[in-house]
Amino acid sequence: KQQANMAAVVGKIVSRATSLATKVQTNPLVTDVFVPRFYRYVELAKKELGPPALSDMPKIKAGAMDVVRKAQAGQFLNTSVRNSVRNTLVAVEVTMWFFVGEIIGRRSLIGYGTPE
């Protein structure tokens, strides 16, 4: 009796899921808005989130050397307060994400487990 009841519940879930899937597939919001945006997102994610190519290395090196040259020349002293605050907030955000990654990697908030 319990198996028959369970089969009826599973049958109801499957029928509701298929009807919901049919409604979603025919919804103009999904077909006209979501699907093109999703494909655009996937396209950009493949391009932007991949590792740099070897042909990009000279540009990366030139950019790093430019940052060093500007820092040595003291050009960062000529920025506005708004840009300085913005850059500081970005640096703090990157640092916090580093610490969050460390906590996730350790699987502990306290620290690394050391053998006694």
Side-chain angles (χ1 to χ4, degrees):
K1 180 177 176 162
Q2 189 175 10
Q3 287 179 340
N5 190 19
M6 185 64 85
V9 170
V10 170
K12 285 182 183 178
I13 291 173
V14 169
S15 68
R16 288 183 181 173
T18 53
S19 69
L20 179 63
T22 304
K23 289 178 185 175
V24 167
Q25 286 177 341
T26 58
N27 187 339
L29 179 66
V30 172
T31 57
D32 297 340
V33 177
F34 177 74
V35 172
R37 287 184 184 179
F38 177 74
Y39 283 123
R40 177 76 174 142
Y41 168 78
V42 169
E43 176 186 323
L44 290 175
K46 284 180 182 178
K47 185 172 92 174
E48 297 294 331
L49 297 178
L54 288 176
S55 60
D56 295 335
M57 290 302 161
K59 293 180 207 170
I60 294 170
K61 183 178 177 184
M65 295 302 291
D66 188 46
V67 168
V68 170
R69 184 180 49 77
K70 287 180 179 180
Q72 288 174 341
Q75 212 169 8
F76 61 91
L77 297 173
N78 297 330
T79 60
S80 67
V81 173
R82 180 184 191 127
N83 283 340
S84 298
V85 169
R86 185 181 303 151
N87 292 340
T88 303
L89 290 175
V90 168
V92 167
E93 181 184 10
V94 169
T95 304
M96 290 299 121
W97 278 115
F98 170 77
F99 287 126
V100 168
E102 282 289 309
I103 291 168
I104 291 170
R106 288 191 310 253
R107 293 192 174 113
S108 170
L109 187 62
I110 304 303
Y112 291 103
T114 56
E116 294 183 30

